[in-house]
Amino acid sequence: MMASSYNAKEEDGHHSGASSGTGLSKNKKPDNTAFKQQRLPAWQPILTAGSVLPAFFVIGLIFIPIGIGLYVTSNNIKEFEIDYTGVSSDSPCYNCAKNFTWNTTEPCVCTVNFTLLQPFESNVFMYYGLSNFYQNHRRYVKSRDDRQLNGDLSALTDPSKECEPYRKSGDVSIAPCGAIANSLFNDTLVLYYVDSNNSKIEVPLVKKGIAWWTDKHVKFRNPAGNSNLTLAFRDTAKPVNWAKPVYELDPSDPDNNGFINEDFIVWMRTAALPTFRKLYRIIQKKSGTTPTLPNGNYMLNITYNYPVLSFDGRKRMILSTISWMGGKNPFLGIAYITVGSICFFLGVVLLIIHHKYDNRNTSADIPS
Amino acid sequence: MDFSLLRNIISRYCVGEEIWVDSRTVYIGHKEPPPGAEAYIPQRYPDNRIVSSKYTFWNFIPKNLFEQFRRIANFYFLVIFLVQLIIDTPTSPVTSGLPLFFVITVTAIKQGYEDWLRHKADCSINECPVDVVQQGKVVRTQSHKLRVGDIVVVKEDETFPCDLILLSSSRSDGTCYVTTTSLDGESSHKTYYAIPDTMAFRTEQEVDLLHATIECEQPQPDLYKFVGRINIYKDKEEPVARPLGAENLLLRGATLKNTQHIYAVAVYTGMETKMALNYQSKSQKRSAVEKSMNAFLIVYLCILISKAVINTVLKYAWQWSPDRDEPWYNHRTEHERQRHVVIRAFTDFLAFMVLFNYIIPVSMYVTVEMQKFLGSYFISWDEEMFDEELGEGAQVNTSDLNEELGQVEYVFTDKTGTLTENNMEFIECCVDGNVYIPHAICNGQILSAASSIDMIDSSPGGYRREYEDLFFRALCLCHTVQVKEEETVDGIKRGIHQGRPTSFYISSSPDEVALVEGMKRLGYTYLRLKDNYMEILNKDDEIERFELLHVLNFDSVRRRMSVIVKSSSGDYLLFCKGADSSIFPRVVSGKVEQVKARVEQNAVEGLRTLCVAYRRLSQSEYQEACHHLMEAKLALQDREQRLAQAYDIIERDFVLLGATAVEDRLQEKAADTIESLHKAGMKVWVLTGDKMETAAATCYASKLFRRTTQILELTKKRTEEQSLHDVLFELNRTVLRQRSISGLSVDCLDFGLIIDGATLSAVLKPNQEGAGHGNYREIFLEICRNCSAVLCCRMAPLQKAQIVKLIKASKEHPITLAIGDGANDVSMILEAHVGIGIMGKEGRQAARNSDYAIPKFKHLKKMLLVHGHYYYIRIAELVQYFFYKNVCFIFPQFLYQFFCGFSQQPLYDTAYLTLYNISFTSLPILLYSLVEQHVSMDTLKREPSLYRDIAKNSLLRWPVFLYWTCLGVFDAVVFFFGAYFLFDNTTFTSNGQMFGNWTFGTLIFTVLVFTVTLKLALDTHHWTWINHFVIWGSLLFYVIFSLLWGGIIWPFLNYQRMYYVFMQMLSSGPAWLSIILLITVSLLPDVIKKVLCRAMCPTATERAQRVSSVQVLEDSLAPGSGGGGGGRERDPLHPDRTCEGDSGKKAARSSDSLVPHSHSTLLSKP
């Protein structure tokens, strides 16, 4: 194929006949360097049963405790998950799901009741989860303009072609453009604790710190040069499926409005798999010994804006505590225990093999 | 003559011109022939410009691009690149365009530079000054302005600017001396002759008056053949025609020596010179590895296409419901929607192809090329293959075949100059039954013949005396040796020292030099050839002069040469010397029986024998012989054949004088080399033109045949008794019977076959008899297959190539290697898979046409057993590893399609896709493939049998390939699903934030880069600092690059998807843990497989590794402080050990670090 392309030597002899006299013969002697003579000092390990088996035992001995630790940690994490899609007719959001229309001014609200059997200690993280939602579809993933989101003024009025068909609304360019922004998750979840005398106490939900720090402070920026966001976005249109323009995402807090709205940033980080969850709110730990979420009854108030039934999707709300290793995930612990055990077992097998074969091999020299 | 000229003219224009179509007429000095003699037809010839460059300034870019894209691989990548440009594909065109652009640019620059060098060389050659005779004056002009027909003046030590016909020289005898060192490497001075009619010209004016035409054949590449005729017109007389042969033609590139100046006329110029015609490129040889690589490529191409097809089909099956195809959140553009579904499906197919195209990486070709190119330097750098005497080391002419050196199954070797030294020494002569042995110690001293005569037969004194005189004179006269006089030479030992300047004997045949020197020792000294008189100093210090009338040159068909001389007494004598087989049939008298017995006895001892005979010619016989010779020499067509006929007529009715014996000593370590090759499982065949007895003796001496070898003969002598058919079948039976017996018994008898040229051609002759007799060829091959050594004697050069071809084409398709030193070996060197030339005494032709050239036969051992072995395992690992790492790379992409709606979403970022093969994983394997030594060099040399481990392309067979591919698929599955279950609907940061798809890809990619690099680390047996540097360095580079790539908002990119992804991933504990886990799991099966194979059924190589490692340990333990010796080498590893934290590496390292431990336990046991 590409052979012969380096056959420089063939060409060399072409005209050099006269020049290659005997005078050069002295220089032709190759240098006696370790590299040129391929005699560099080297360490020559070989993998034999004898040398590998201690490694297997060591791996086994390290992995199994790690695995047990991970598994226990994972088991200690409390997680509560509730599906509020409203597929079956007895679910509270059935009507909202069924009667969904895009152009409604009256938001549909539904309430889901649930009970936490155990108290949730320390910080509790509230997620929304979507299933069968292909945020990793190629057409979807690339449908954004990072320049625009970074506050580039030219990209604000002339977004990237990748945003098609969510690039322009009429003649006005959309900000933020693209399919990802357009499909921003816009259900509003409010959590109430129902105490023993049936009074609703709203659980305080913190909406800051849910996005990556770097995203919020570097990657996403509102258009520069205008402190007033309404003016900054005046030449742009809102995404088609949005109810309100981008500068009204969180009017209460200018640091959480426009492109740097954290809900928006979280949504813009596309998920790897079609079933995913995204951080919605954080429930801060209370001072003192009272659990963040005591056990008891709760009410989840949902402003149902986001249709998923059309593509057979599901919506969930998840409450979870977090350890150093993240959320509940028994996989890693089990995997570590399994691999550790296999290594240990193999170590034993190799020990037998080593006794049976290795001695025989070393005593029997190779025939010369 | 008029008629013949008329015929010429007519035949030019008429139909019967075949004879003349291949000839040209050169008008010397561009002078028209005399009117009426012949029509002046100015012919157009190219000028004397040499163009070796391929490109010009204008056509470089298009032509070079065209040539590069003619290669299938480049074309494939171009197509992929264009597809990426045209359709909307998942990866940017940069990912495949950049590497392709890089490869193309580097190659173009390299070729451009080479071409520029060629242009420069062309220029300097084309512009070098040349003296031309014009109007009786010498005019200086530039070489490229030279035209056919120009008369050129060449001075001593100048190189001929084009092919010239010698007209006259400054030497009075019209000869000139020439070396053709730069043409064929022969440094001896060759004599060229001017035709008698023009040799008298002394000045430009005289030369300019010459009125002649030269008719000669059109240019042919054969350096040693030339047929032509010169017609000299002298005022109004009939033109005189003289024959022209190769001895009149001075070749471009040769240098004038020992002659002040010559006048010559240009006949072939520029690209038509024989030198230029000879530099046409050789046919490309391909190695077995390259063939398997191409086969693997096809498999991968099929995998690629089927992957793309599967995904396309699944995509459309999955998209059947519009909710999935276009959910509300992810609409198509209007433009896309309008496209026809078939076009869309096709575009999708192409997009999948593009996504998966990395499975066939561009970089593999670059790496393989680099490996071959750089790796070949180790051969030329090898000090052990450097010959002090010659001042040269091994040469690599083609680096494409390095690994083929490790695959050789058949070695075809020449005998003379290859197995033997071709350093001839005169041993004895036998005159008429009496044996004369010169005292070898008394060099240069004249010995009385009588003192060393060993009488076998006592004959009448006078009669004997006469034969003795004739015999010695015959040997002094019948040769083509030149005497080179050189005052400043240190060679007292070779020269004559009798008050005269020292002189050398120079000849193209070392036998002749040995004979003439031997004669000198016996008292007859050949002094010189002067004015066609040969001078001999005889025993009584008298100078005898013989007029040299004709030389009937040696050729390999006749196997003899003759001279016709006129003695001072006026007798015409023909002396002939040649091989016994070509002399004896022509002998009519003499003591044939005694001489024959002596010759055979000498041949058995491995000496080269020649017989000497003479014939006294009468005046009329001489005239007749002259007539025959002249007629043949004048012929324009079939001159060779006619000459052979003439020789045949003249060389007959000989009187046998005696025979000579010359020893050709074995090359040093020839026997050891052959023994090693045998042990390495190679079959060694000796192909020689020598006679059977001599060749067989050499074979015994070189241990090709041992005492226990049963010799099977397939010679003319035997086939004369029985029919070829019977002999073949009988031999076949013998061999088969033996094999069935030896299958049971332990000591198997090995066979040696001897076959001669005549029988071979009978065997190879296509069988006309039909099926009844069976196919001789097959039976012959069957016999050969069971013989460990084969000797083919009496071979013509072409037959050597035929044998090689026969073996090459047999049904196992074995890899053949041919080694030789002479021009007669060139055909077999070119024919064999690997051709090795020995820089020998018989010129450089073999070395020039070979793939590798070595100074001595003994170097073949290191070449094959060490370099060949290394190159093979290196390239085998390189090829397998490249496919493996790209399966690992691409298969997760394939799996990801099932989770992203078959949308061709790439798993990895563009930068990772592009750089994976270019920088993250390329250097470790390249350096591995340059410096890996699985077994030490000394072990390889000590244990030739290790060569059998890699025979038959064993590391690139389908099962091995399948293993690597399965390993790749397994690893890919581990990477993907490991990450999948980790990411499955959960968070793994301690602040609850979620990761996206790019983190998912980066996690897989990180595991991938580490696993693939550590897999190579596990395969590395030879850890030099280079390996450490490159392996840990490229991992470090990956980490640093990732940090940098995600650390900045890159202003020139229109997406920032990787921003902080890598750092966020590293900040998560579970990500670290899963990376370690996944690497361990991926490497585990390979480690287990390695350990189990080594323990259960170790190969010879693995045992050798073990033994050598035990030895190293013993050495290190010897000075005391157990285990301390090994620590010296391992110390540099410690920094690596502490800074890297993943367990995969730990597995590799901790296993390694335990080597001394396990061995010390092993040692303590006995």
Side-chain angles (χ1 to χ4, degrees), chain A residues 1-2 5 9 29-30 37-38 43 127 134 138 142 146 211 270 272 307 310 316 327 336 346 366, chain B residues 71 88 110 323 329 369 381 383 388 396 874 896 903-904 933 985 987 992-993 997 1023 1056 1073 1103:
Chain A
M1 303 226 162
M2 278 164 77
S5 58
K9 280 176 193 158
K29 185 168 171 83
Q37 299 307 319
Q38 306 196 60
W43 170 57
Y127 297 90
Y134 283 82
R138 184 163 71 91
K142 65 175 187 177
D146 278 340
T270 47
S310 64
R316 289 160 298 148
Y336 259 93
L346 284 171
I366 48 166
Chain B
R71 294 186 195 122
D88 168 46
K110 194 185 130 267
D323 292 343
Y329 57 84
E369 288 290 337
W381 279 338
E383 212 183 16
E388 294 285 348
V396 182
R874 287 168 186 173
Y896 191 52
S903 60
Q904 301 117 23
Q933 298 176 16
N985 201 18
T987 172
Q993 291 167 0
N997 62 326
W1023 283 85
Q1056 306 295 341
L1073 285 175
R1103 284 203 208 116

Side-chain angles (χ1 to χ4, degrees), chain B residues 823-1076:
Chain B
N824 58 345
D825 306 316
V826 170
S827 58
M828 88 174 167
I829 284 174
L830 289 177
E831 178 66 45
H833 290 104
V834 187
I836 295 196
I838 288 189
M839 305 162 180
K841 294 195 173 155
E842 291 182 14
R844 279 292 164 88
Q845 259 189 312
R848 231 183 39 203
N849 285 293
S850 62
D851 303 311
Y852 300 90
I854 51 177
K856 286 273 159 63
F857 182 71
K858 64 171 176 180
H859 297 134
L860 188 64
K861 181 177 170 184
K862 190 168 187 193
M863 194 87 170
L864 297 183
L865 297 186
V866 179
H867 288 294
H869 199 143
Y870 280 162
Y871 284 123
Y872 178 72
I873 55 144
R874 287 168 186 173
I875 199 119
E877 172 90 9
L878 173 68
V879 170
Q880 300 279 27
Y881 179 77
F882 245 99
F883 284 116
Y884 158 80
K885 78 172 178 158
N886 284 296
V887 171
C888 287
F889 181 46
I890 287 310
F891 205 70
Q893 291 256 41
F894 173 71
L895 293 174
Y896 191 52
Q897 299 311 308
F898 290 83
F899 298 91
C900 70
F902 305 100
S903 60
Q904 301 117 23
Q905 169 63 20
L907 188 52
Y908 318 114
D909 180 52
T910 307
Y912 288 157
L913 279 173
T914 315
L915 294 179
Y916 175 71
N917 273 315
I918 294 181
S919 45
F920 297 146
T921 59
S922 63
L923 272 186
I925 183 62
L926 176 65
L927 267 298
Y928 170 95
S929 67
L930 285 175
V931 304
E932 167 71 351
Q933 298 176 16
H934 60 316
V935 182
S936 79
M937 239 183 244
D938 302 314
T939 316
L940 280 180
K941 267 192 275 182
R942 208 171 47 237
E943 307 286 348
S945 56
L946 296 180
Y947 196 81
R948 290 168 192 256
D949 270 14
I950 55 162
K952 295 266 172 208
N953 210 357
S954 64
L955 298 182
L956 288 175
R957 285 206 213 125
W958 289 108
V960 186
F961 173 70
L962 199 67
Y963 169 74
W964 278 89
T965 307
C966 289
L967 194 68
V969 171
F970 169 81
D971 285 358
V973 168
V974 168
F975 303 154
F976 183 79
F977 286 103
Y980 175 82
F981 284 115
L982 196 74
F983 263 75
D984 187 24
N985 201 18
T986 185
T987 172
F988 54 94
T989 53
S990 51
N991 59 8
Q993 291 167 0
M994 294 300 296
F995 287 157
N997 62 326
W998 298 115
T999 315
F1000 183 69
T1002 306
L1003 181 80
I1004 293 178
F1005 192 77
T1006 308
V1007 177
L1008 164 75
V1009 169
F1010 274 79
T1011 307
V1012 157
T1013 309
L1014 291 175
K1015 157 77 182 145
L1016 187 68
L1018 282 179
D1019 286 349
T1020 307
H1021 289 112
H1022 192 78
W1023 283 85
T1024 62
W1025 64 266
I1026 301 175
N1027 296 80
H1028 285 294
F1029 179 76
V1030 168
I1031 286 183
W1032 312 129
S1034 69
L1035 289 181
L1036 196 67
F1037 174 75
Y1038 165 69
V1039 174
I1040 290 171
F1041 174 84
S1042 300
L1043 290 174
L1044 204 69
W1045 185 238
I1048 303 172
I1049 296 270
W1050 292 95
F1052 56 86
L1053 291 177
N1054 50 13
Y1055 57 85
Q1056 306 295 341
R1057 55 199 183 201
M1058 292 309 287
Y1059 185 64
Y1060 252 69
V1061 160
F1062 191 69
M1063 271 158 277
Q1064 282 283 347
M1065 186 185 80
L1066 291 189
S1067 70
S1068 140
W1072 281 86
L1073 285 175
S1074 55
I1075 288 172
I1076 293 168

Side-chain angles (χ1 to χ4, degrees), chain B residues 512-559:
Chain B
E512 288 197 327
V513 176
L515 284 174
V516 176
E517 283 188 350
M519 285 305 106
K520 199 169 79 191
R521 297 217 296 273
L522 283 170
Y524 290 82
T525 311
Y526 169 64
L527 291 177
R528 64 179 157 269
L529 175 73
K530 197 178 166 191
D531 305 332
N532 253 357
Y533 278 93
M534 292 177 110
E535 296 180 3
I536 296 172
L537 189 72
N538 71 8
K539 234 181 331 192
D540 309 322
D541 262 346
E542 292 162 5
I543 292 181
E544 297 175 17
R545 286 161 60 90
F546 293 86
E547 190 185 353
L548 180 64
L549 298 170
H550 287 286
V551 178
L552 283 62
N553 274 323
F554 179 85
D555 65 60
S556 53
V557 181
R558 256 162 69 237
R559 304 178 62 79

Side-chain angles (χ1 to χ4, degrees), chain B residues 726-742:
Chain B
D726 294 341
V727 177
L728 272 173
F729 274 86
E730 195 188 312
L731 290 180
N732 197 21
R733 260 199 305 279
T734 323
V735 170
L736 287 178
R737 193 187 323 128
Q738 190 59 40
R739 198 173 55 176
S740 58
I741 294 168
S742 67

Side-chain angles (χ1 to χ4, degrees), chain A residues 1-6 8-9 11 14-15 17 25 28-30 32 35-49 51-52 54-56 59 63 70 102 125 127 133-134 136-142 146-147 164-166 179 183 209-212 214 218-219 241 269-274 277 279 306-307 310-311 316 322-329 331-332 335-336 339 346 350 353 357-359 361-362 365-368, chain B residues 50 52 71 74 88-90 103 110 114 118 122 125 284 286 294 318 323 325 328-333 365 369 373 378 381-384 386 388 391-392 396 400 867 874 896 899-901 903-905 933 937 943 978 980-982 985-987 989-997 1000 1021-1024 1026 1051 1053 1055-1056 1059-1060 1064 1070 1073 1077 1080-1081 1084 1088 1090-1092 1094-1096 1103 1105-1106 1129-1130 1143 1150-1152 1154 1162:
Chain A
M1 303 226 162
M2 278 164 77
S4 90
S5 58
Y6 288 97
K9 280 176 193 158
E11 261 95 34
H14 214 289
H15 292 296
S25 65
K28 276 188 182 170
K29 185 168 171 83
N32 184 16
F35 173 70
K36 287 190 174 181
Q37 299 307 319
Q38 306 196 60
R39 292 199 186 276
L40 282 176
W43 170 57
Q44 288 164 311
I46 42 173
L47 293 177
T48 60
S51 57
V52 167
F56 275 73
I59 291 174
F63 273 30
L70 285 172
W102 279 112
F125 294 80
Y127 297 90
F133 189 102
Y134 283 82
N136 59 5
H137 195 280
R138 184 163 71 91
R139 204 162 58 228
Y140 186 84
V141 169
K142 65 175 187 177
D146 278 340
R147 268 182 218 277
E164 291 288 1
Y166 304 99
S183 58
I210 56 173
W212 293 12
T214 47
V218 186
K219 193 171 160 182
N241 288 349
R269 184 157 292 282
T270 47
L273 298 165
R277 59 168 78 165
L279 188 55
Y306 206 72
S310 64
F311 52 86
R316 289 160 298 148
I322 291 282
S323 73
W324 63 272
M325 59 155 283
K328 198 178 187 76
N329 188 4
F331 165 74
L332 202 55
Y336 259 93
V339 173
L346 284 171
L350 287 179
I353 287 170
Y357 290 93
D358 268 25
N359 293 343
N361 286 337
T362 33
D365 237 25
I366 48 166
S368 52
Chain B
I50 281 278
S52 63
R71 294 186 195 122
N74 285 356
D88 168 46
T89 56
V103 169
K110 194 185 130 267
E114 277 169 8
R118 267 181 246 136
D122 287 352
I125 281 189
Q284 191 75 45
R286 284 197 165 190
N294 287 344
W318 185 80
D323 292 343
D325 187 19
W328 67 263
Y329 57 84
N330 194 8
H331 281 297
R332 278 207 175 81
T333 56
Y365 293 94
E369 288 290 337
F373 175 66
F378 282 117
W381 279 338
D382 195 325
E383 212 183 16
E384 282 175 43
F386 180 80
E388 294 285 348
E392 272 181 278
V396 182
D400 291 334
H867 288 294
R874 287 168 186 173
Y896 191 52
F899 298 91
C900 70
S903 60
Q904 301 117 23
Q905 169 63 20
Q933 298 176 16
M937 239 183 244
E943 307 286 348
Y980 175 82
F981 284 115
L982 196 74
N985 201 18
T986 185
T987 172
T989 53
S990 51
N991 59 8
Q993 291 167 0
M994 294 300 296
F995 287 157
N997 62 326
F1000 183 69
H1021 289 112
H1022 192 78
W1023 283 85
T1024 62
I1026 301 175
L1053 291 177
Y1055 57 85
Q1056 306 295 341
Y1059 185 64
Y1060 252 69
Q1064 282 283 347
L1073 285 175
L1077 178 83
T1080 316
V1081 173
L1084 206 57
I1088 292 166
K1090 275 198 172 76
V1091 170
L1092 287 187
R1094 191 178 281 275
M1096 305 287 198
R1103 284 203 208 116
Q1105 285 172 349
R1106 178 119 213 183
E1129 284 169 5
R1130 280 194 301 281
S1143 73
S1150 55
S1151 64
D1152 294 330
L1154 284 158
L1162 288 173

